[in-house]
Structures are given as C-alpha cells and as structure tokens.
Coordinates of all heavy atoms in Angstrom, one line a residue:
M1 N -100.3 -9.1 -81.0 CA -99.2 -10.0 -80.8 C -98.8 -10.6 -82.1 O -99.7 -11.0 -82.9 CB -99.6 -11.0 -79.7 CG -98.4 -11.9 -79.3 SD -98.8 -12.7 -77.7 CE -98.6 -14.4 -78.2
L2 N -97.6 -10.8 -82.3 CA -97.1 -11.4 -83.5 C -97.3 -12.9 -83.5 O -97.1 -13.5 -82.4 CB -95.6 -11.1 -83.7 CG -95.2 -9.7 -83.9 CD1 -93.7 -9.5 -83.9 CD2 -95.8 -9.1 -85.1
N3 N -97.7 -13.5 -84.6 CA -98.0 -14.9 -84.6 C -96.8 -15.7 -85.0 O -96.2 -16.5 -84.2 CB -99.1 -15.3 -85.6 CG -100.5 -14.8 -85.1 OD1 -100.7 -14.9 -83.9 ND2 -101.3 -14.3 -85.9
E4 N -96.2 -15.5 -86.2 CA -95.0 -16.2 -86.6 C -94.3 -15.5 -87.7 O -94.5 -14.3 -87.9 CB -95.4 -17.6 -87.0 CG -95.6 -18.6 -85.9 CD -94.4 -18.8 -85.0 OE1 -93.3 -18.8 -85.5 OE2 -94.6 -18.9 -83.8
G5 N -93.6 -16.2 -88.5 CA -92.7 -15.7 -89.5 C -93.2 -14.7 -90.5 O -92.6 -13.7 -90.7
D6 N -94.4 -15.0 -91.1 CA -95.0 -14.1 -92.1 C -95.3 -12.8 -91.5 O -95.0 -11.7 -92.1 CB -96.2 -14.8 -92.7 CG -95.9 -16.0 -93.5 OD1 -94.8 -16.2 -94.0 OD2 -96.9 -16.8 -93.7
E7 N -95.9 -12.7 -90.4 CA -96.2 -11.5 -89.7 C -95.0 -10.7 -89.4 O -94.9 -9.5 -89.5 CB -97.1 -11.7 -88.5 CG -97.8 -10.5 -88.0 CD -98.8 -10.9 -87.0 OE1 -99.2 -12.1 -86.8 OE2 -99.2 -9.9 -86.2
I8 N -93.9 -11.4 -88.9 CA -92.7 -10.7 -88.5 C -92.0 -10.2 -89.8 O -91.5 -9.0 -89.8 CB -91.8 -11.7 -87.7 CG1 -92.4 -12.0 -86.4 CG2 -90.4 -11.1 -87.6 CD1 -91.7 -13.1 -85.6
A9 N -92.0 -10.9 -90.8 CA -91.4 -10.5 -92.1 C -92.1 -9.3 -92.6 O -91.4 -8.4 -93.1 CB -91.4 -11.6 -93.1
L10 N -93.4 -9.2 -92.5 CA -94.2 -8.1 -93.0 C -93.8 -6.8 -92.2 O -93.6 -5.8 -92.8 CB -95.7 -8.4 -92.9 CG -96.6 -7.3 -93.4 CD1 -96.4 -6.9 -94.8 CD2 -98.0 -7.6 -93.1
L11 N -93.7 -7.0 -90.9 CA -93.4 -5.9 -90.0 C -92.0 -5.4 -90.4 O -91.7 -4.2 -90.4 CB -93.4 -6.3 -88.6 CG -93.1 -5.3 -87.5 CD1 -94.1 -4.1 -87.6 CD2 -93.1 -5.9 -86.1
L12 N -91.1 -6.3 -90.6 CA -89.7 -6.0 -91.0 C -89.6 -5.1 -92.3 O -88.8 -4.2 -92.4 CB -88.9 -7.3 -91.2 CG -87.6 -7.5 -90.6 CD1 -87.1 -8.9 -90.7 CD2 -86.6 -6.5 -91.1
R13 N -90.4 -5.5 -93.2 CA -90.4 -4.7 -94.5 C -91.1 -3.4 -94.3 O -90.7 -2.4 -95.1 CB -91.2 -5.5 -95.6 CG -90.4 -6.7 -96.1 CD -91.0 -7.3 -97.4 NE -92.3 -7.8 -97.1 CZ -92.6 -9.1 -96.7 NH1 -91.6 -9.9 -96.4 NH2 -93.8 -9.5 -96.5
A14 N -92.0 -3.2 -93.4 CA -92.7 -2.0 -93.3 C -91.9 -0.9 -92.6 O -92.0 0.3 -93.0 CB -94.0 -2.3 -92.4
T15 N -91.1 -1.2 -91.6 CA -90.4 -0.2 -90.9 C -89.2 -0.8 -90.2 O -89.1 -2.0 -90.0 CB -91.3 0.4 -89.8 OG1 -90.6 1.5 -89.2 CG2 -91.7 -0.6 -88.7
K16 N -88.2 0.0 -90.0 CA -86.9 -0.4 -89.4 C -86.7 0.5 -88.2 O -87.2 1.6 -88.1 CB -85.8 -0.4 -90.3 CG -85.9 -1.4 -91.5 CD -84.6 -1.6 -92.1 CE -84.8 -2.6 -93.2 NZ -83.8 -3.8 -93.1
L17 N -86.0 0.0 -87.2 CA -85.6 0.8 -86.0 C -84.6 1.9 -86.5 O -83.7 1.7 -87.2 CB -84.9 -0.1 -85.0 CG -85.6 -1.3 -84.4 CD1 -84.7 -2.2 -83.6 CD2 -86.8 -0.8 -83.6
N18 N -84.9 3.1 -86.0 CA -84.0 4.2 -86.2 C -83.5 4.8 -85.0 O -83.4 6.0 -84.8 CB -84.7 5.3 -87.1 CG -86.0 5.8 -86.5 OD1 -86.3 5.4 -85.3 ND2 -86.6 6.8 -87.1
I19 N -83.1 3.9 -84.1 CA -82.5 4.2 -82.8 C -81.2 3.4 -82.6 O -81.0 2.4 -83.3 CB -83.5 3.9 -81.6 CG1 -83.9 2.4 -81.6 CG2 -84.7 4.8 -81.7 CD1 -84.7 2.0 -80.4
P20 N -80.4 3.8 -81.7 CA -79.1 2.9 -81.5 C -79.5 1.6 -81.1 O -80.5 1.4 -80.3 CB -78.4 3.7 -80.4 CG -78.9 5.1 -80.5 CD -80.3 5.0 -80.9
V21 N -78.9 0.6 -81.6 CA -79.2 -0.8 -81.3 C -77.9 -1.5 -80.9 O -76.9 -1.4 -81.5 CB -79.8 -1.6 -82.6 CG1 -80.0 -3.0 -82.3 CG2 -81.1 -0.9 -83.0
L22 N -78.1 -2.4 -79.8 CA -77.0 -3.2 -79.3 C -77.4 -4.6 -79.4 O -78.5 -5.0 -78.9 CB -76.6 -2.8 -77.8 CG -75.7 -3.8 -77.1 CD1 -74.3 -3.7 -77.8 CD2 -75.6 -3.5 -75.6
A23 N -76.6 -5.4 -80.0 CA -76.8 -6.9 -80.1 C -75.9 -7.6 -79.2 O -74.7 -7.5 -79.4 CB -76.6 -7.4 -81.6
I24 N -76.4 -8.2 -78.2 CA -75.5 -9.0 -77.3 C -75.7 -10.4 -77.6 O -76.7 -11.1 -77.4 CB -75.9 -8.8 -75.8 CG1 -75.8 -7.3 -75.4 CG2 -75.0 -9.6 -74.9 CD1 -76.2 -6.9 -74.0
G25 N -74.7 -11.0 -78.2 CA -74.7 -12.4 -78.6 C -73.8 -13.3 -77.7 O -73.0 -12.8 -77.0
A26 N -74.1 -14.6 -77.8 CA -73.4 -15.5 -76.9 C -73.2 -16.8 -77.7 O -72.6 -16.7 -78.8 CB -74.2 -15.8 -75.7
G27 N -73.7 -17.9 -77.3 CA -73.4 -19.2 -77.9 C -73.8 -19.3 -79.4 O -73.2 -20.1 -80.1
G28 N -74.7 -18.4 -79.9 CA -75.2 -18.5 -81.2 C -74.2 -17.8 -82.2 O -74.5 -17.7 -83.4
G29 N -73.1 -17.3 -81.7 CA -72.2 -16.6 -82.7 C -72.8 -15.3 -83.1 O -73.2 -14.5 -82.3
E30 N -72.7 -15.0 -84.4 CA -73.1 -13.7 -85.0 C -74.7 -13.7 -85.3 O -75.1 -12.8 -85.9 CB -72.3 -13.4 -86.2 CG -70.9 -13.1 -85.9 CD -70.7 -11.9 -85.1 OE1 -71.3 -10.9 -85.4 OE2 -69.9 -11.9 -84.1
L31 N -75.4 -14.7 -84.8 CA -76.9 -14.8 -85.2 C -77.6 -13.5 -84.6 O -78.4 -12.9 -85.4 CB -77.4 -16.0 -84.6 CG -79.0 -16.2 -84.8 CD1 -79.3 -16.3 -86.3 CD2 -79.5 -17.4 -84.0
T32 N -77.3 -13.1 -83.4 CA -78.0 -12.0 -82.8 C -77.7 -10.7 -83.6 O -78.6 -9.9 -84.0 CB -77.6 -11.8 -81.4 OG1 -77.9 -13.0 -80.7 CG2 -78.4 -10.6 -80.7
F33 N -76.4 -10.5 -84.0 CA -76.0 -9.3 -84.7 C -76.7 -9.4 -86.1 O -77.2 -8.3 -86.6 CB -74.5 -9.3 -84.9 CG -74.0 -8.2 -85.9 CD1 -74.1 -6.9 -85.5 CD2 -73.5 -8.6 -87.1 CE1 -73.6 -5.9 -86.3 CE2 -73.1 -7.6 -88.0 CZ -73.1 -6.3 -87.6
A34 N -76.7 -10.5 -86.8 CA -77.2 -10.6 -88.1 C -78.8 -10.3 -88.1 O -79.3 -9.6 -88.9 CB -77.0 -11.9 -88.7
T35 N -79.4 -10.8 -87.1 CA -80.9 -10.6 -86.9 C -81.2 -9.1 -86.7 O -82.1 -8.5 -87.3 CB -81.4 -11.4 -85.8 OG1 -81.1 -12.8 -86.1 CG2 -82.9 -11.3 -85.6
M36 N -80.4 -8.5 -85.8 CA -80.7 -7.1 -85.4 C -80.3 -6.2 -86.6 O -81.0 -5.2 -86.8 CB -79.9 -6.7 -84.1 CG -80.4 -7.4 -82.9 SD -82.2 -7.4 -82.6 CE -82.5 -5.7 -82.4
S37 N -79.4 -6.6 -87.4 CA -79.0 -5.8 -88.6 C -80.1 -5.7 -89.6 O -80.2 -4.7 -90.3 CB -77.7 -6.3 -89.2 OG -76.6 -6.2 -88.3
Q38 N -80.9 -6.7 -89.6 CA -82.0 -6.8 -90.6 C -83.1 -5.8 -90.2 O -83.9 -5.4 -91.0 CB -82.6 -8.2 -90.6 CG -81.7 -9.2 -91.2 CD -82.4 -10.6 -91.2 OE1 -83.6 -10.7 -91.4 NE2 -81.6 -11.6 -90.9
V39 N -83.2 -5.5 -88.9 CA -84.3 -4.6 -88.5 C -83.9 -3.2 -88.1 O -84.7 -2.4 -87.7 CB -85.1 -5.2 -87.3 CG1 -85.7 -6.6 -87.6 CG2 -84.2 -5.3 -86.0
S40 N -82.6 -2.9 -88.3 CA -82.1 -1.5 -87.9 C -81.7 -0.8 -89.2 O -81.1 -1.3 -90.1 CB -80.9 -1.7 -87.0 OG -80.4 -0.4 -86.7
S41 N -82.1 0.5 -89.3 CA -81.7 1.3 -90.4 C -80.3 1.9 -90.2 O -79.7 2.3 -91.1 CB -82.7 2.5 -90.6 OG -82.7 3.3 -89.4
D42 N -79.8 1.8 -89.0 CA -78.4 2.3 -88.7 C -77.5 1.1 -88.3 O -78.0 0.0 -88.1 CB -78.5 3.2 -87.4 CG -79.2 4.5 -87.7 OD1 -79.2 5.0 -88.9 OD2 -79.9 5.0 -86.8
P43 N -76.2 1.3 -88.3 CA -75.3 0.3 -87.9 C -75.6 -0.2 -86.5 O -76.0 0.5 -85.6 CB -73.9 0.9 -88.0 CG -74.1 2.1 -88.9 CD -75.5 2.6 -88.7
V44 N -75.5 -1.5 -86.3 CA -75.7 -2.2 -85.0 C -74.4 -2.4 -84.3 O -73.4 -2.9 -84.9 CB -76.5 -3.5 -85.3 CG1 -76.6 -4.3 -83.9 CG2 -77.8 -3.3 -85.9
R45 N -74.3 -2.0 -83.1 CA -73.1 -2.4 -82.3 C -73.3 -3.7 -81.7 O -74.4 -4.2 -81.2 CB -73.1 -1.4 -81.1 CG -71.8 -1.5 -80.3 CD -71.6 -0.4 -79.4 NE -70.6 -0.7 -78.4 CZ -70.4 0.1 -77.3 NH1 -71.0 1.2 -77.1 NH2 -69.5 -0.3 -76.5
S46 N -72.3 -4.5 -81.8 CA -72.3 -5.9 -81.4 C -71.3 -6.3 -80.3 O -70.2 -5.9 -80.4 CB -72.1 -6.8 -82.6 OG -72.2 -8.2 -82.2
V47 N -71.8 -7.1 -79.3 CA -70.9 -7.6 -78.3 C -71.1 -9.1 -78.2 O -72.3 -9.5 -78.2 CB -71.2 -7.0 -76.9 CG1 -70.5 -7.7 -75.8 CG2 -71.0 -5.5 -76.9
T48 N -70.1 -9.9 -78.3 CA -70.2 -11.3 -78.2 C -69.6 -11.8 -76.8 O -68.4 -11.4 -76.5 CB -69.4 -12.0 -79.3 OG1 -70.0 -11.6 -80.6 CG2 -69.6 -13.5 -79.3
L49 N -70.3 -12.5 -76.1 CA -69.9 -13.0 -74.8 C -69.3 -14.4 -75.0 O -70.1 -15.3 -75.3 CB -71.0 -13.0 -73.8 CG -71.7 -11.6 -73.6 CD1 -72.8 -11.7 -72.6 CD2 -70.7 -10.5 -73.2
E50 N -68.1 -14.6 -74.8 CA -67.4 -15.9 -75.0 C -67.8 -16.8 -73.8 O -67.8 -16.4 -72.7 CB -65.9 -15.7 -75.1 CG -65.5 -14.9 -76.3 CD -65.9 -15.4 -77.6 OE1 -66.0 -16.7 -77.8 OE2 -66.2 -14.7 -78.5
G51 N -68.0 -18.0 -74.1 CA -68.2 -19.1 -73.1 C -69.6 -19.0 -72.5 O -69.8 -19.6 -71.4
V52 N -70.5 -18.3 -73.1 CA -71.8 -18.1 -72.5 C -72.8 -18.7 -73.5 O -72.7 -18.6 -74.7 CB -72.2 -16.6 -72.3 CG1 -73.6 -16.4 -71.9 CG2 -71.2 -15.9 -71.4
G53 N -73.9 -19.4 -73.0 CA -74.8 -20.1 -73.8 C -76.0 -19.2 -74.2 O -75.8 -17.9 -74.3
H54 N -77.1 -19.8 -74.4 CA -78.3 -19.1 -75.0 C -78.9 -18.0 -74.0 O -79.4 -17.0 -74.5 CB -79.3 -20.1 -75.3 CG -80.5 -19.6 -76.0 ND1 -80.5 -19.2 -77.4 CD2 -81.8 -19.4 -75.6 CE1 -81.7 -18.7 -77.7 NE2 -82.5 -18.8 -76.7
Y55 N -78.8 -18.3 -72.7 CA -79.4 -17.4 -71.7 C -78.3 -16.5 -71.1 O -78.0 -16.6 -69.9 CB -80.1 -18.2 -70.7 CG -81.2 -19.1 -71.2 CD1 -80.9 -20.4 -71.4 CD2 -82.4 -18.5 -71.6 CE1 -81.9 -21.3 -72.0 CE2 -83.4 -19.3 -72.2 CZ -83.2 -20.7 -72.4 OH -84.1 -21.5 -72.9
A56 N -77.8 -15.6 -71.9 CA -76.7 -14.7 -71.5 C -77.0 -13.9 -70.2 O -76.2 -13.8 -69.3 CB -76.3 -13.7 -72.6
A57 N -78.2 -13.4 -70.1 CA -78.5 -12.6 -68.9 C -78.6 -13.4 -67.7 O -78.3 -12.9 -66.6 CB -79.9 -11.9 -69.1
L58 N -78.9 -14.7 -67.8 CA -78.9 -15.5 -66.6 C -77.5 -16.1 -66.3 O -77.1 -16.3 -65.2 CB -79.9 -16.7 -66.8 CG -81.4 -16.3 -66.9 CD1 -82.2 -17.5 -67.2 CD2 -81.8 -15.7 -65.6
E59 N -76.8 -16.4 -67.3 CA -75.5 -17.1 -67.2 C -74.4 -16.1 -66.9 O -73.4 -16.5 -66.2 CB -75.1 -17.9 -68.5 CG -76.1 -19.0 -68.7 CD -75.8 -19.7 -70.1 OE1 -74.6 -19.8 -70.4 OE2 -76.7 -20.1 -70.7
A60 N -74.5 -14.9 -67.4 CA -73.4 -13.9 -67.3 C -73.9 -12.5 -67.0 O -73.7 -11.6 -67.8 CB -72.5 -13.9 -68.5
P61 N -74.7 -12.3 -65.9 CA -75.3 -11.0 -65.7 C -74.4 -9.9 -65.6 O -74.7 -8.8 -66.1 CB -76.1 -11.2 -64.4 CG -75.5 -12.4 -63.8 CD -75.0 -13.3 -64.9
E62 N -73.2 -10.1 -65.0 CA -72.2 -9.0 -64.9 C -71.7 -8.6 -66.3 O -71.6 -7.4 -66.6 CB -71.0 -9.4 -64.0 CG -71.4 -9.8 -62.6 CD -71.9 -11.2 -62.4 OE1 -71.8 -12.0 -63.3 OE2 -72.4 -11.5 -61.4
Q63 N -71.5 -9.5 -67.2 CA -71.0 -9.2 -68.5 C -72.1 -8.5 -69.3 O -71.8 -7.5 -70.1 CB -70.6 -10.5 -69.3 CG -69.3 -11.1 -68.8 CD -69.0 -12.4 -69.5 OE1 -69.5 -13.4 -69.2 NE2 -68.1 -12.3 -70.5
V64 N -73.3 -8.9 -69.2 CA -74.4 -8.3 -69.9 C -74.6 -6.8 -69.3 O -74.7 -5.9 -70.1 CB -75.7 -9.1 -69.7 CG1 -76.9 -8.3 -70.2 CG2 -75.6 -10.4 -70.4
A65 N -74.5 -6.7 -68.0 CA -74.6 -5.4 -67.4 C -73.6 -4.4 -67.9 O -73.8 -3.3 -68.2 CB -74.6 -5.5 -65.9
H66 N -72.3 -4.9 -67.9 CA -71.2 -4.1 -68.4 C -71.4 -3.7 -69.9 O -71.2 -2.5 -70.2 CB -69.9 -4.9 -68.3 CG -68.7 -4.2 -68.8 ND1 -68.2 -3.1 -68.2 CD2 -68.0 -4.3 -69.9 CE1 -67.2 -2.6 -68.9 NE2 -67.0 -3.4 -69.9
A67 N -71.9 -4.6 -70.7 CA -72.1 -4.3 -72.1 C -73.2 -3.2 -72.2 O -73.1 -2.3 -73.0 CB -72.5 -5.6 -72.9
L68 N -74.3 -3.4 -71.4 CA -75.4 -2.4 -71.5 C -74.9 -1.0 -71.0 O -75.2 0.0 -71.6 CB -76.5 -2.9 -70.7 CG -77.3 -4.1 -71.3 CD1 -78.3 -4.6 -70.2 CD2 -78.0 -3.7 -72.5
L69 N -74.2 -1.0 -69.9 CA -73.8 0.3 -69.3 C -72.8 1.0 -70.3 O -72.9 2.2 -70.5 CB -73.1 0.1 -68.0 CG -74.1 -0.3 -66.8 CD1 -73.3 -0.6 -65.6 CD2 -75.0 0.9 -66.6
D70 N -71.9 0.3 -70.9 CA -71.0 0.8 -71.9 C -71.8 1.4 -73.1 O -71.5 2.5 -73.6 CB -70.0 -0.2 -72.3 CG -68.9 0.3 -73.2 OD1 -68.3 1.3 -72.9 OD2 -68.8 -0.2 -74.3
F71 N -72.7 0.6 -73.6 CA -73.6 1.1 -74.7 C -74.3 2.4 -74.3 O -74.4 3.3 -75.1 CB -74.5 -0.1 -75.1 CG -75.4 0.3 -76.2 CD1 -75.0 0.5 -77.5 CD2 -76.8 0.5 -76.0 CE1 -75.8 0.8 -78.5 CE2 -77.7 0.7 -77.0 CZ -77.2 0.9 -78.3
F72 N -75.0 2.3 -73.2 CA -75.8 3.5 -72.8 C -75.0 4.7 -72.6 O -75.3 5.8 -72.9 CB -76.6 3.2 -71.5 CG -77.6 2.1 -71.6 CD1 -77.9 1.3 -70.5 CD2 -78.3 2.0 -72.8 CE1 -78.9 0.3 -70.7 CE2 -79.3 1.0 -72.9 CZ -79.6 0.1 -71.9
T73 N -73.8 4.6 -72.1 CA -72.8 5.7 -71.9 C -72.4 6.2 -73.2 O -72.4 7.5 -73.4 CB -71.6 5.2 -71.1 OG1 -72.0 4.7 -69.8 CG2 -70.6 6.4 -70.9
T74 N -72.2 5.4 -74.2 CA -71.8 5.8 -75.5 C -72.9 6.5 -76.2 O -72.8 7.6 -76.8 CB -71.3 4.6 -76.4 OG1 -70.2 4.0 -75.7 CG2 -70.8 5.1 -77.7
V75 N -74.1 5.9 -76.1 CA -75.3 6.5 -76.8 C -75.6 7.9 -76.1 O -75.9 8.8 -76.8 CB -76.5 5.6 -76.7 CG1 -77.8 6.3 -77.1 CG2 -76.2 4.4 -77.5
D76 N -75.5 8.0 -74.8 CA -75.9 9.1 -74.0 C -74.9 10.2 -74.4 O -75.3 11.4 -74.4 CB -75.9 8.9 -72.6 CG -76.5 10.0 -71.8 OD1 -77.6 10.5 -72.2 OD2 -76.0 10.3 -70.7
A77 N -73.7 9.9 -74.7 CA -72.7 10.9 -75.0 C -72.9 11.6 -76.4 O -72.5 12.7 -76.6 CB -71.3 10.3 -75.0
T78 N -73.6 10.9 -77.3 CA -73.9 11.4 -78.6 C -75.2 12.1 -78.5 O -75.6 13.0 -79.2 CB -74.0 10.4 -79.7 OG1 -74.9 9.4 -79.4 CG2 -72.6 9.7 -79.8

C-alpha cells in the first residue's frame, strides 16, 4: 500500500500507464486531468461535470455513467 507523496512520486517516475485513460473532473476544475496526465504515457481524455462537487459519482451518477459508457465505446471501437 502506498504511504504518501514520496512513494507515489517514485512510482510515477518508474512507470506510466500505457492504456486509455479518462479523467472525470468536477468541482476541482482541471486538477483531475492534470493529475492523470502526469501518470499516462498517452493523451488523457477529459470530461468536466459542471455544477458537481468533489463526489461526482455520488452527486451525478447519470453523468458519470454517460461519460464512462461513451469512453468505453470509443476505446472498444479502436
């Protein structure tokens, strides 16, 4: 299990994700996209849910589901 920042930073330097990545952001603006971009070797697809706070899956489950289904359909097509 990861302890904190130093261990996470070491992991980040060691390897990056080489799979399709979707960043679903909400109240934090582009923070989720920026964070996921640091750990992905490929471009990150980003969706921002307007009017949603920190707990997007709880506050807007339909919007999150739509974003996921759209992403999976796109990834599956390639």
